[in-house]
Structures are given as C-alpha cells and as structure tokens.
Amino acid sequence: MDYLQLMGFGPNGWGYGMLAATGMTVAVALCGYLIGSVLGSLGAAAAFSRFMPLRAIAGFYTTVLRGIPDLLVIYLFYFGSSSVISAVGALFGAEGFVGAPAFLTGAMAIGVVSGAYQMQVFRGAVLALPKGEIEAARAYGMPSFLLFRRIILPQAARFAIPGMGNVWQLVLKESALISVIGLVEIMRQSQIGAGSTRQPFSFYLTAGALYLLITFVSGRGFRLAERRAMRGVRRAA
Amino acid sequence: MPDPAKTPAVQLSNIRKSYGEHEVLHGVSLTANEGDVISILGSSGSGKSTLLRCINMLEVPNAGSVSIHGEAITLDQKPGQPPRARDMRQVNRLRAKAAMVFQSFNLWSHLTILENLIEAPVYVLKRDRKEAIAEAEALLARVGIAEKRHAYPAHLSGGQQQRAAIARALAMHPSVMLFDEPTSALDPELVGEVLKVMRDLAAEGRTMLIVTHEMGFARDVSTRTVFLHNGVIEEEGAPAEVFENPRSDRFRQFISRDH
C-alpha cells in the first residue's frame, strides 16, 4: 500500500482517523490553554495582591508547576483522579481500577502547567505598562473599570501576545504527552496506526506534518493579533 | 451664597504631604481665582510638582483641604493610615474639570492623536462622538498639528506631542488647567512652540497653574508667581514685583543663579 492510500480516505485508509485525531489535539490543547488563561490571570492578580499569603500561593504555584516535568503532572492528575474515582466506584460495588476521563484529565493537566507560564507572561505585561499613561487616564477622570478596558487591556495585550503565542506552541506539543493516558489525539493515533500497519515512519512523519500545520496556522493568527495590538508602537528600523 | 464669580477656581488650604517619615509639603495654602495664571517655581525637591498633583488627587494630601470651584474634596485623613479620597466619583468628576498636562506628555500610545483627544470626552464626559471629533479637529488645527490627527504619538516630535497633549486637555472644556513642567522634557528648540500655545491660552483668560523652570515665561505671562522652597511658599506675588524686588534671599539666589 503506498503512502497516499495509507493516509487516504478509502476503506483501508487512515485519513479520517488522523483527521479526527488532529481535531482532538486542537480541542484538548485549546481547552487546556483556556483553563491556563484563567489560572494565569488569577495567578498574576494574586502576584500583585497586597495580601502576602496570596502572593505566596501564586509564587509557589508558578515555581512548582514550571519546575516539574509535564509528564509527571499528567500522571499525577490521571492516577490521582483515577484513584478517587476507583474508591468512589468501590463504594458502589465496582471492582478494580476505574480510569479518569482522558480528555478532562488531559485538559486539566495542560491547564495547570500552561497557567503557570501564562501567569509569568501576564505579570511581565502588567509590569511593562507605561505608568505615565495610566496616570494620565486617572487624571482625566477615568474610573477603574473604564481605565482597565480602554487603556490597560489594550496596552497589556501588546506585551502579552508574543509570550502567549509561545505558550500556545508549548501547549500544543505538550498535548502529545496526553497520549500516555489513552486520549486518541495525533500522537496516540499515529502509534496505533504504526503498530497495526508496521509503517511507523509514514505515520510519525504525517504526525509531524500535522503538528507543523497547526503551529503554522496559529502562528499566523498570533502574528496578525500582534500587528493589530502593536499599532502606534515605533520599532527600531 | 458666595458670589460664583468670586468663588476661587482652586483653593488649597494648609496642604501637608509626607512620604513615610519625610514631609515634602509643610502646610501650603494657595488660591487660584478665575483667570489667574499662576507660575509655581522652585528647585527640584521643593515640592512644586507634588503640590500641583494634590489638586487632582494624583497625590492625596495627609492634611489640609482642596476645593475646586468651591466644592471641597472629601478626604479621609486619619493619623497612622494612608490618606485617601472618600468618594472616587466626586474625584473623577472634579478631575475632568482640572485637565492636566504632563512633563512626559503621557499621550495614550495605542491611540491616534485624534483618538487621544476624544477618548475622555466620549468615555468620561459621555459627549457625542461626532461632535467630539469635530471639536478635536478644530483644537488640533489651533495648536498647529491638524495633519497629524491620524498619526500615533510615537511618530510625533516632543513639541508636537506636548501640543497634542494640551489639545487633549482643552477638549475636556476644563475650568482650570494644570501644567506639570510642560517643557522640561523638550529639546531646547522645541520649547518655543509649546510656550506659544500656552501664551495664547493665558491671553484668552484661562485659569492656569503652571509648574515650570521657564523664568522668562513665568515673568511675562503669569499673573502671579509662587516660589516654593523645602515645602513652604517662600515668595508670592505679581511677577513684576517679585522678580524686581524679591523679599526672600532664597528666591533672589534662585533667579540670579541661571536666569
């Protein structure tokens, strides 16, 4: 069977499977990334808090989650929640190990890890805000929410978007690790295909191309967003 | 009822301001009447900028009171606690009447010049956008940068940025204008164009408080000169008087030093 048939959409082709797996990769990465955005903004807000314990928690979170391997976080989430589910199952008479839902576990694991990185991006963006322009907004009578919406947010976006693009790429690659808990995304699907057809090279090469395609398209999106946000900023020629 | 024509535009009474243990204003009182152009002089560290920033509560005084057009800003000044304004809605309403021009312009860098001018009128004063744009264009023409209306601040020279910032202040229809060293960040050859705009405003009879190092300007344009030294007013009076016959030795030294 040649490559085109192998990856095609015919009766013996793996095309649909790989396509669905690509959708799964994007879905789990996106969910994790959004969870991370929420955790990251909360973390950044806590890091600027006047309340010391909040700052300490935020510091602990970002230090620990950035300091341990992502794979370990995924295992901790998976086996942690699985043992809870198994224990609950045992109460109702189920026997043995009950696995946690892979998508949810994977998205959560990606979420807490990427949140730790996004927190640093947001923190840096807030620190980079031009203080004088914020002061001018206050001096012109802007109440805090208006000031946040009209001045702080668009300015912080400038500084955050490039870093957010980096975190997105990390998240996308990290999603491959979720294959270890059985979620059928690009990596897992390629393993299955490689195993059953004995053509590992074709599958892993295709997987690589699919990841590149996703990062390429989303990279364009981030660059567009960055160009929009950077209006008015003079660059060194 | 006080006569509204005689209600001072700005009244500062016994203003004290400290940072930690260090008190930078030791009870300063200053009244600006309608149409006054008051230049506030003093060497760096004299507290002149702090005094100006106490008017619109960018700095909240530890003691003393601030009134704008007879309306006193309600302040919480409890010993041992940082002072704060009680009602931010009142502060924001009064801030919109006392437009400030900053040393480093502080135009909003993500907005075009025209957008800078209509931002606060539209979003703070809730004026009609079309009218605000028409007025902003007239103001930009007046300060001589009409052709820059769609440019971003970073693409303007310092002098143009400061003229845009003055236009932004004018767009608020302020009843008093606060200038915090408006020419100190400018290259010497750009100072003149900004001072010219300010001269025109003074000639219009606008109420202005100007913290400045421009002696010539203070002498020619202001109706009153205030000299601050170490957080107290050392000299105050009509410029013709105080520059000719300074009563305080420190002010004498100050004006003879480099001007």
Side-chain angles (χ1 to χ4, degrees), chain B residues 4-258:
Chain B
K6 289 200 178 136
T7 306
V10 175
Q11 190 159 34
L12 302 171
S13 311
N14 240 332
I15 299 291
R16 289 176 177 276
K17 178 66 190 173
S18 321
Y19 298 100
E21 296 291 295
H22 180 60
E23 189 173 79
V24 291
L25 293 174
H26 309 296
V28 176
S29 299
L30 181 66
T31 301
N33 289 309
E34 207 73 39
D36 276 355
V37 177
I38 300 182
S39 49
I40 303 170
L41 308 175
S43 44
S44 59
S46 60
K48 56 193 192 303
S49 280
T50 307
L51 183 68
L52 194 75
R53 292 160 60 85
C54 279
I55 297 172
N56 61 359
M57 293 295 135
L58 288 182
E59 306 288 348
V60 182
N62 295 77
S65 69
V66 178
S67 296
I68 295 180
H69 282 283
E71 181 176 350
I73 300 174
T74 35
L75 298 174
D76 279 334
Q77 296 163 323
K78 298 197 186 85
Q81 278 179 29
R84 52 181 216 97
R86 191 172 301 165
D87 179 5
M88 279 316 286
R89 281 168 51 195
Q90 181 198 31
V91 170
N92 284 329
R93 185 161 47 74
L94 293 176
R95 276 175 174 168
K97 288 189 188 179
M100 187 174 247
V101 174
F102 297 87
Q103 178 177 357
S104 44
F105 331 130
N106 295 350
L107 293 168
W108 297 302
S109 54
H110 61 298
L111 301 176
T112 64
I113 296 302
L114 187 71
E115 288 168 341
N116 264 278
L117 262 67
I118 65 168
E119 180 72 14
V122 169
Y123 290 97
V124 176
L125 303 176
K126 312 262 190 269
R127 286 212 199 112
D128 178 71
R129 191 183 189 86
K130 277 209 184 89
E131 284 170 27
I133 290 174
E135 191 184 334
E137 289 185 331
L139 285 170
L140 287 175
R142 178 180 170 177
V143 299
I145 48 171
E147 79 286 0
K148 296 288 183 189
R149 63 187 178 280
H150 296 308
Y152 286 94
H155 296 99
L156 270 62
S157 73
Q160 291 171 330
Q161 286 193 53
Q162 194 61 301
R163 283 185 279 155
I166 293 173
R168 173 175 72 171
L170 289 170
M172 298 297 281
H173 301 174
S175 53
V176 52
M177 298 181 78
L178 311 174
F179 292 84
D180 189 5
E181 302 200 27
T183 56
S184 299
L186 296 176
D187 293 336
E189 73 270 21
L190 301 177
V191 168
E193 60 189 66
V194 171
L195 290 183
K196 184 185 172 303
V197 172
M198 291 172 62
R199 252 173 232 274
D200 291 348
L201 294 175
E204 262 179 23
R206 284 185 183 272
T207 314
M208 300 159 74
L209 283 88
I210 308 163
V211 170
T212 185
H213 291 288
E214 296 290 330
M215 291 299 156
F217 181 82
R219 195 171 178 153
D220 299 346
V221 178
S222 50
T223 56
R224 192 141 47 98
T225 299
V226 170
F227 173 67
L228 231 68
H229 183 79
N230 284 341
V232 292
I233 292 182
E234 279 264 328
E235 181 93 42
E236 182 176 4
E241 250 168 64
V242 295
F243 279 97
E244 294 309 319
N245 302 304
R247 284 177 305 242
S248 119
D249 290 339
R250 287 212 185 81
F251 187 54
R252 195 193 315 273
Q253 283 165 14
F254 183 76
I255 52 178
S256 65
R257 195 177 41 195
D258 46 3

Side-chain angles (χ1 to χ4, degrees), chain A residues 30 120 209 212-213:
Chain A
L30 203 61
Q120 297 297 56
L212 268 179
L213 183 73

Side-chain angles (χ1 to χ4, degrees), chain A residues 166-202:
Chain A
N166 278 337
V167 176
W168 167 248
Q169 287 222 330
L170 289 178
V171 160
L172 211 54
K173 292 189 280 183
E174 191 189 335
S175 74
L177 295 172
I178 297 173
S179 60
V180 299
I181 56 173
L183 185 75
V184 186
E185 37 64 72
I186 296 177
M187 199 64 207
R188 180 84 188 128
Q189 182 68 290
S190 306
Q191 285 168 347
I192 296 168
S196 62
T197 61
R198 302 186 183 223
Q199 299 200 41
F201 196 63
S202 299

